[in-house]
């Protein structure tokens, strides 16, 4: 499954480690929320970055105390029709000011890239190779946005207000 | 509507066909014995056992570029071999609205 | 009218181009139906019995004549020459080909019309009072806020994959014509003690198999806080709404399971975190939206012009005027409702020819504007009263002057089993038969206001729960049967109807309805007591006795 990061297909620095497998002594790992919360201190002490796969039916509040020691948070789309992780993503980015990698996992398809980017995701485990290959074009599909989110894109309302101001200033 | 998956549990009790809507234009179609689709009920493959029905459905569902929403529908086979829809819903799908179109002909 | 600017138009065009690509990938097999289904639904494309159905949004029910002509064009070019107006200010085309849909959408985009989010588990078309901006006594034009909400909900990055569909309705009049209490969020504009404009926010209304009337979650939310408050509600719903069972996934179930107090508390906590954030609407922003609604240059006209005085001698004209013409906020003007319920016709259908002719009449008599109402009728919102006689003649010629607005034959009906793959029973032929039974105008007038609503299945697209008389199609041993309720209503006193007796077969429905109406005429306290008020006063029992005693 290709990983898209910084807008292009990239090598995955993280290794997914399943719950009963031993943790590698170093290197970046992605582990389940349950495993991480069992002993966050021990996991944080190991060499290498830590990433947590956070389920979409658990409040991100429980993860907040540990955000500053996490290099990645992976949120889950069990199917693309289950949109809970969009709310989690915005909360992590906009309310809890999480700046690390925010990864979309699960059924990640081309037609949801724009929504995911706007919600704050910056890494994508894309289901299909063909979708990963067109990530950059797809991300540019829309140029107008109605809602303010943490991604910093200027909303239509703001653009209109700017236009009004420049008009009334006689520019 | 019963999904094809749930319908797999259903046993058929009489002659049946597999029907769906053609993907590109949506019209009602029936699975034929030649593993294609036809707009005519007369061309439909008739199955009489649950195993045959399941097999025909599985083959139909696999062709979702051809048609979508495939499911098993009952039919009646008249003396002489003419096939007729087995319930009101299928009658309407096969013969069209029971009311006139609002457009002046 | 709201004038789309370059930004609105760009977004619609980008959406069309995206959907064109999605359809192409679907037809080539690159997308499976499972992956494509939600994408097509989010562009208004359903699969019905005979074909794809295409649902196009008419935001807050306002159309220009140019837009109506384009709808006629789509009906003719891509469909079978007609369209169906729904209870939620949408129009549906019943015979459209998937391969041609991108072209149809592109044609509609030319006039600023789209089908975004007319289906799917996202926020649907924001609906409003069809008399918005022209009704006397309105707090302010609710379409300004509807448009703010339309923009806010369109392609929302967080709320495009909700547990289930989500519907907004908004009104600014004392009399609710938008059925806000049967919406996921109902908004009533009003002024607080300080004279500020804001909203009573209602949540958790909806019909379907578990009907609920919406509950008030907050009596006053200031206009500037509207979007943040709505976002708080939607965020709570997106995270905690049930996703394990499609029938329990609407917000009404979450509100019911948590209880309104607990739900309100969750929303309040969320809201306090975001209310002073980027969603705050300062006055200049609201003003910007307001400034793009334009209103006609009304003339100073007499309330009772000579033309009207003369025409009063024609009983047919008078019957229509009394029935279909309503007061306007400007003296000398009227709102004219156009019944889409001709005797023997399918409720809510209009042909392409009717649409074109009506567009011309709107240009001539209504400043080029048409409205679409919740009762599946149309309206011309700015007609000079002196023009009423001429307009009536013209409407009569195109079959749009049936004087049965709000009467027993002004029936709301879903498409039913003739079109719909979810339906258990037919709706349209029942409605057609009832319009024939009650075709006598004097009898209908004697009966007075009476709303019959028909749904062909429990999903309740025909709003049967809130019909004064509700008819619900069910299936019994492969036969069509109909459950009948009475006493429902969809207005500011919204109420669910009660079952009046056992379900009856297809052939007996019209007889039973006639008997119920007979019973009402015998039981009512006075000719002024409406059907629904008689039911309220007497309960169901006297009706049951009279109607079912001999069955």
């Amino acid at each position: 499954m290709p990983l898209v990061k910084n807008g292009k297909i990239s090598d995955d620095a993280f290794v997914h480690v399943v719950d009963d497998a031993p943790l590698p002594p170093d290197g970046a790992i992605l582990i389940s929320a349950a495993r991480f919360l069992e002993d966050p201190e021990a996991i944080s002490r190991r060499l290498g970055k830590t990433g947590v796969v956070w389920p979409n039916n658990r409040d991100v509040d429980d993860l907040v105390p540990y955000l500053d020691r996490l290099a990645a948070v992976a949120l889950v789309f069990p199917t693309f029709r289950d949109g809970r992780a969009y709310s989690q993503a915005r909360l992590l980015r906009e309310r809890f000011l999480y700046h690390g990698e925010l990864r979309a996992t699960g059924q990640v398809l081309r037609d949801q890239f724009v929504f995911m980017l706007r919600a704050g995701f910056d890494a994508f485990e894309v289901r299909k190779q063909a979708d990963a290959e067109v990530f950059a074009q797809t991300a540019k599909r829309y140029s107008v946005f109605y809602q303010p989110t943490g991604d910093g894109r200027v909303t239509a309302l703001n653009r209109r207000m700017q236009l009004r101001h420049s008009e009334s200033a006689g520019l | 509507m019963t999904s094809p998956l749930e319908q797999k549990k259903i046993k058929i009790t009489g002659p049946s066909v597999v029907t769906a809507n053609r993907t590109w234009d949506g019209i009602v179609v029936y699975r034929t014995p030649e593993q294609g689709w036809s707009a005519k009920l007369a061309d439909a493959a008739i199955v009489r056992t649950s195993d045959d029905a399941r097999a025909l459905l599985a083959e139909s569902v696999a062709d979702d570029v051809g048609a979508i929403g495939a499911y098993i529908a009952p039919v009646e086979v008249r003396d002489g071999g003419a096939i007729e829809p087995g319930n009101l819903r299928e009658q309407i799908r096969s013969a069209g609205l029971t009311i006139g179109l609002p457009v002046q002909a | 009218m709201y004038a789309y600017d370059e930004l609105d138009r760009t977004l619609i065009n980008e959406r069309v181009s995206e959907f064109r690509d999605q359809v192409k990938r679907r037809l080539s097999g690159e997308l499976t139906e499972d992956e494509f289904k939600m994408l097509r639904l989010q562009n208004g494309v359903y699969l019905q019995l005979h074909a794809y159905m295409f649902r196009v949004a008419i935001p807050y029910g306002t159309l220009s004549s140019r837009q109506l002509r384009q709808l006629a064009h789509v009906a003719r070019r891509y469909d079978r020459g007609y369209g169906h107006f729904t209870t939620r200010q949408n129009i549906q085309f019943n015979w459209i080909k998937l391969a041609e849909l991108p072209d149809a959408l592109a044609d509609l985009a030319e006039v600023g019309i789209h089908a975004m989010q007319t289906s799917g588990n996202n926020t649907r078309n924001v609906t409003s009072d069809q008399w918005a901006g022209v009704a006397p006594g309105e707090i302010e034009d609710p379409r300004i806020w509807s448009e703010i909400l339309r923009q806010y909900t369109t392609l929302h990055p967080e709320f495009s994959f909700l547990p289930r569909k989500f519907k907004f309705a908004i009104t600014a009049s004392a009399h609710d014509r938008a059925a806000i209490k049967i919406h996921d969020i109902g908004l009533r504009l009003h002024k607080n003690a300080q004279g500020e404009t804001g909203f009573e926010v209602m949540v958790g209304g909806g019909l379907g198999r578990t009907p609920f009337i919406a509950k008030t979650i907050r009596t006053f939310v200031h206009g500037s806080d509207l979007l943040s408050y709505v976002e708080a509600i939607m965020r709570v719903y997106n995270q905690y709404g049930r996703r394990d069972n499609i029938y329990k996934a609407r917000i009404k179930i979450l509100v019911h399971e948590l209880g309104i107090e607990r739900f309100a508390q969750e929303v309040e906590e969320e809201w306090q975190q975001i209310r002073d954030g980027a969603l705050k609407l300062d006055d200049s922003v609201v003003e910007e939206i307001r400034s793009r609604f334009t209103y006609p240059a009304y003339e100073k006209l007499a309330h009772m012009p000579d033309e009207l005085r003369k025409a009063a001698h024609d009983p047919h004209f008078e019957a229509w005027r009394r029935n279909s013409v309503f007061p306007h906020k400007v003296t000398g003007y009227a709102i004219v409702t156009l019944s889409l319920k001709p005797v023997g016709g399918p409720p809510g259908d209009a042909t392409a020819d009717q649409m074109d002719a009506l567009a011309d009449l709107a240009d001539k008599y209504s400043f080029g504007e048409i409205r679409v109402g919740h009762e599946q009728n149309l309206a011309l919102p700015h007609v000079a009263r002196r023009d009423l006689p001429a307009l009536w003649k013209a409407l009569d010629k195109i079959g749009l002057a049936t004087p049965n607005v709000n009467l027993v034959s002004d029936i709301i009906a879903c498409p039913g089993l003739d079109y719909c793959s979810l339906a258990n029973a037919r709706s349209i032929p029942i409605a057609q038969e009832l319009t024939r039974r009650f075709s006598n105008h004097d009898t209908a007038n004697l009966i007075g206001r009476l709303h019959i609503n028909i749904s062909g299945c429990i999903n309740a697209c025909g709003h049967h729960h809130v019909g004064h008389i509700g008819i619900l199609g069910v299936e019994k041993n492969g036969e069509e049967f109909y459950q009948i309720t009475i006493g429902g209503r969809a207005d500011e006193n919204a109420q669910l109807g009660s079952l009046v007796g056992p379900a009856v077969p297809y052939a007996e429905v019209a007889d039973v309805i006639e008997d119920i109406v007979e019973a009402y005429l015998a039981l009512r306290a006075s000719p002024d007591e409406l059907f629904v008020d008689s039911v309220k006063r007497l309960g169901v029992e006297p009706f049951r006795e009279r109607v079912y005693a001999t069955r």
Side-chain angles (χ1 to χ4, degrees), chain C residues 164-165 181-184 203-215 242 245-257 457-460 464-466 472 496:
Chain C
R164 198 75 181 86
K165 58 188 169 183
K181 290 190 177 181
I182 54 171
H183 280 77
D184 296 278
V203 69
L207 300 177
R209 76 184 59 204
T210 321
F212 283 108
I213 301 297
K215 297 170 185 76
R242 287 181 62 170
N245 180 338
I246 186 176
Y247 301 117
K248 298 191 172 169
R250 293 283 293 270
I251 196 173
K252 62 189 176 185
I253 303 293
L254 180 65
V255 171
H256 177 70
E257 287 182 353
C457 79
I458 193 68
N459 292 303
H464 63 277
H465 300 106
V466 290
L472 164 65
L496 304 171

Side-chain angles (χ1 to χ4, degrees), chain C residues 506-523:
Chain C
Y506 179 83
E508 287 175 35
V509 176
D511 291 343
V512 170
I513 302 302
E514 276 195 314
D515 289 353
I516 290 172
V517 172
E518 291 277 332
Y520 154 66
L521 291 175
L523 289 165

Side-chain angles (χ1 to χ4, degrees), chain C residues 278-447:
Chain C
L279 288 172
K280 192 116 192 162
L281 290 167
D282 66 46
D283 291 346
S284 61
V285 166
V286 178
E287 202 41 57
E288 209 286 326
I289 299 286
R290 186 178 282 123
S291 71
R292 286 195 291 134
F293 279 90
T294 53
Y295 297 89
Y298 297 111
E299 292 173 70
K300 256 185 114 98
L301 296 175
H303 177 70
M304 190 45 81
D306 287 344
E307 291 88 342
L308 211 49
R309 244 186 270 275
K310 268 183 227 155
H313 299 297
D314 181 341
H316 293 295
F317 170 76
E318 271 301 281
W320 172 79
R321 186 191 62 77
R322 281 169 201 271
N323 174 264
S324 306
V325 176
F326 297 90
H328 194 281
K329 67 174 184 185
V330 177
T331 307
Y333 286 85
I335 304 167
V336 174
T337 298
L338 316 174
S339 166
L340 291 181
K341 320 292 174 62
V343 174
D349 281 10
T351 67
D353 291 348
Q354 282 177 319
M355 291 185 228
D356 276 338
L358 179 59
D360 292 346
L361 292 175
D363 283 338
K364 199 165 171 189
Y365 297 116
S366 182
F367 297 92
E369 199 175 316
I370 302 99
R371 300 293 181 85
V372 182
H374 144 72
E375 292 89 358
Q376 301 182 281
N377 289 322
L378 303 177
L380 293 175
H382 322 281
V383 180
R385 286 168 57 85
R386 63 162 186 233
D387 292 335
L388 287 170
L391 173 64
W392 170 66
K393 279 193 187 118
L395 287 174
D396 194 40
K397 265 190 207 146
I398 56 172
L400 293 178
T402 312
N404 63 349
V405 174
N406 292 327
L407 299 179
V408 60
S409 55
D410 184 2
I411 296 168
I412 290 177
C414 74
L417 189 55
D418 278 293
Y419 290 98
C420 178
S421 54
L422 300 171
N424 294 119
R426 286 172 290 167
S427 306
I428 296 170
I430 299 276
Q432 288 173 314
E433 177 59 18
L434 287 171
T435 63
R436 287 185 205 106
R437 299 278 180 111
F438 293 105
S439 61
N440 184 301
H441 183 67
D442 295 333
T443 311
N445 259 338
L446 183 77
I447 298 164

